[in-house]
Amino acid sequence: MLIKRPVDIKLSEVTDQRTYLDRRKFLATSALGAIAGGLGLTAAQPAAAGAKLGNVIESSYRVDDELTDYGDITSYNNFYEFGTNKTDPARNSHTLVTKPWSLAVSGACESPGNYDLEDFLSPNQLEERIYRLRCVERWSMIIPWVGVPLAPVLQKFKPTSNAKYVAFKTLFDPEQMPGQQRAVLRWPYVEGLRIDEAMNELSFFAVGLYGEELPNQNGAPIRLVVPWKYGYKSIKSIVSVEFTETEPPTSWNIALPNEYGFYSNVNPEVDHPRWSQRKERRIGELFRRPTLMFNGYEEQVAHLYTGMDLVKNH
Ligand SMILES: Nc1nc2c(c(=O)[nH]1)N[C@H]1C(S)=C(S)[C@@H](COP(=O)(O)O)O[C@H]1N2
Ligand SMILES: [Mo]
């Protein structure tokens, strides 16, 4: 069943004085970007990683927790295609070529095809959303993402009534992604969402953070952000989107089916088989804090799981 509810993008009318971080000053320059128009991702102006994104609007999707430092967000990563240590992706991901980039759209939809990144996202406005990221390994961050909500992008391809799920794949290229030369996971990395989860207002395609293009280690040039689920659902460097009738396989479920389910909602009540999920360490802080149900997004997403056994469907 396809939920056709339009996405309600609420914009804050006032630009407040958030001067506490230099990195955030891009908001003041976004008017300049707007003159150039478009998404600020034009292939005509290839930009180095870290290039400022133009034409970004502020959204009301934000948590007021203190932002995690840019340095932490970009040097403490999980991206097994570049190694399994937290510091590996920042060191090794320079080999990934993100321009040009295209995505294959297939399956139960009326407009399948190959789309350049820019066409894939257009004509949607880039917006900033400040979301919590909660890793299953019990750490968390607060990240100012730049991107586009999933719903208007996916609706463009006109999913049919058979589209019950959406499946995503990361690039497979062991030369660019040397971690794929070892069988630490089955490659390529795959993830999926139920269609109503994908169409939920919180689901987001990120192309940047802190107002700049995504660094490779964070999943350039386009990655998923599903803020109420454990971080591993937020698949990086996406090259394919497929609308499916049945539940798609997911990398961590394939690797360790006893530990990782399809839904993977952040849930302090459901222990990981090897550790409790009740607490988390915010990167940059000393003491652990309690983990919130659905990572604090209960109000927006709890209704998606009414009647489901959240232990069985962990
Ligand atoms: N392709 C791919 N996507 C991935 C991963 C990965 O190893 N490969 N790791 C996941 C995990 S476990 C987490 S916690 C987040 C981390 O995102 P970040 O490095 O931007 O914080 O990316 C997710 N997406
Ligand atoms: Mo994770």
Side-chain angles (χ1 to χ4, degrees), residues 78 134-137 139 230-233 252:
N78 271 339
R134 169 58 158 79
C135 180
V136 74
E137 297 162 278
W139 48 266
Y230 291 116
Y232 63 87
K233 293 295 282 187
W252 282 101

Side-chain angles (χ1 to χ4, degrees), residues 131 133 145 148-150 154 166-170 189-193 197-198 202-207 214 218-219 221-227 229-238 241:
Y131 282 148
L133 177 94
W145 299 108
V148 171
L150 256 66
L154 298 182
V166 196
F168 303 93
K169 273 193 188 111
T170 293
Y189 196 100
V190 292
E191 257 304 338
L193 295 170
E197 297 180 311
L202 294 180
S203 300
F204 197 59
F205 281 121
V207 298
L214 274 184
N218 293 89
I222 179 169
R223 58 93 56 85
L224 196 62
V225 178
V226 195
K229 293 179 181 276
Y230 291 116
Y232 63 87
K233 293 295 282 187
S234 294
I235 180 172
K236 295 173 167 181
S237 305
I238 300 168
V241 176

Side-chain angles (χ1 to χ4, degrees), residues 247-286:
E247 189 182 282
T250 66
S251 280
W252 282 101
N253 179 253
I254 294 169
L256 296 161
N258 296 334
E259 299 189 9
Y260 305 108
F262 175 81
Y263 284 94
S264 314
N265 292 317
V266 174
N267 189 341
E269 306 294 326
V270 179
D271 292 348
H272 182 280
R274 290 182 280 142
W275 56 73
S276 158
Q277 289 291 5
R278 291 201 173 280
K279 292 201 166 172
E280 67 198 56
R281 191 172 67 85
R282 183 68 46 82
I283 298 297
E285 290 179 359
L286 212 49

Side-chain angles (χ1 to χ4, degrees), residues 156-172:
K156 256 182 10 189
F157 307 112
K158 305 195 185 73
T160 68
S161 58
N162 290 331
K164 306 279 198 314
Y165 296 88
V166 196
F168 303 93
K169 273 193 188 111
T170 293
L171 176 71
F172 179 70

Side-chain angles (χ1 to χ4, degrees), residues 22 30 46 48 61 83 86 93 99 117 124 128 136 160 173 176 200 202 209 226 230 243 269 300 308:
D22 281 354
S30 59
Y61 294 90
K86 297 283 175 284
S93 61
K99 287 175 182 151
L117 178 57
N124 297 290
E128 185 195 57
V136 74
T160 68
D173 184 337
Q176 291 186 54
N200 184 272
L202 294 180
L209 55 84
V226 195
Y230 291 116
F243 297 97
E269 306 294 326
Q300 293 97 323
M308 284 178 67

Side-chain angles (χ1 to χ4, degrees), residues 29-98:
T29 65
S30 59
L32 272 177
I35 296 166
L39 288 165
L41 291 168
T42 51
Q45 285 179 315
K52 202 158 277 195
L53 287 164
N55 202 11
V56 177
I57 56 165
E58 214 176 328
S59 81
S60 62
Y61 294 90
R62 47 182 298 186
V63 289
D64 284 323
D65 312 34
E66 198 180 321
L67 298 181
T68 303
D69 282 348
Y70 181 84
D72 287 333
I73 296 174
T74 58
S75 64
Y76 190 87
N77 300 101
N78 271 339
F79 200 170
Y80 279 20
E81 285 84 341
F82 298 104
T84 54
N85 292 319
K86 297 283 175 284
T87 49
D88 286 341
R91 193 153 13 106
N92 300 331
S93 61
H94 56 90
T95 49
L96 174 65
V97 179
T98 59

Side-chain angles (χ1 to χ4, degrees), residues 12 14 16 18 20 24 27 58-65 128-132 142 297:
S12 54
V14 194
D16 54 353
R18 286 180 294 156
Y20 50 89
R24 308 219 59 231
L27 286 170
E58 214 176 328
S59 81
S60 62
Y61 294 90
R62 47 182 298 186
V63 289
D64 284 323
D65 312 34
E128 185 195 57
R129 293 188 174 198
I130 303 173
Y131 282 148
R132 298 185 187 89
I142 303 294
Y297 301 97

